[in-house]
Amino acid sequence: MNRDQLRDIVLDELSAIAPDIDTATLDDRARLRDEYDLDSMDALNLLTALHQRLGVSIPESDYAALHSLQALLDYLEPRLQG
């Protein structure tokens, strides 16, 4: 899976959790909780959905680092490659 495909999956899961976010104009570097009003439950639901869909374990200790779309992609991409 390439990065664009991974991005599409993450955005698909994000729009299921927060349908009011316009994923077409989403800034990959923006902090999802600050810029797009994702609360802690939304963030947890997103990470859970990504775990289920991609089969990637995301330990709770890593949650804080996954604050933007770019951070999510940077985190997930190598774990799907190896």
Side-chain angles (χ1 to χ4, degrees):
M1 169 180 324
N2 67 37
R3 191 171 179 98
D4 289 335
Q5 292 168 319
L6 179 58
R7 185 179 190 278
D8 289 344
I9 289 170
V10 174
L11 290 177
D12 184 50
E13 295 300 335
L14 179 61
S15 37
I17 290 162
D20 26 319
I21 293 177
D22 182 4
T23 56
T25 61
L26 185 110
D27 177 359
D28 288 11
R29 294 176 187 242
R31 294 177 86 67
L32 295 171
R33 293 178 92 183
D34 298 337
E35 296 295 322
Y36 300 104
D37 295 326
L38 242 60
D39 64 23
S40 58
M41 199 61 184
D42 291 333
L44 180 60
N45 288 338
L46 175 60
L47 296 177
T48 301
L50 291 171
H51 165 70
Q52 290 174 346
R53 184 156 176 189
L54 299 171
V56 174
S57 293
I58 306 171
E60 189 175 339
S61 59
D62 292 343
Y63 289 3
L66 305 176
H67 52 78
S68 67
L69 179 59
Q70 181 173 339
L72 278 165
L73 295 175
D74 290 346
Y75 182 87
L76 293 168
E77 190 173 31
R79 286 163 176 79
L80 290 169
Q81 308 278 326

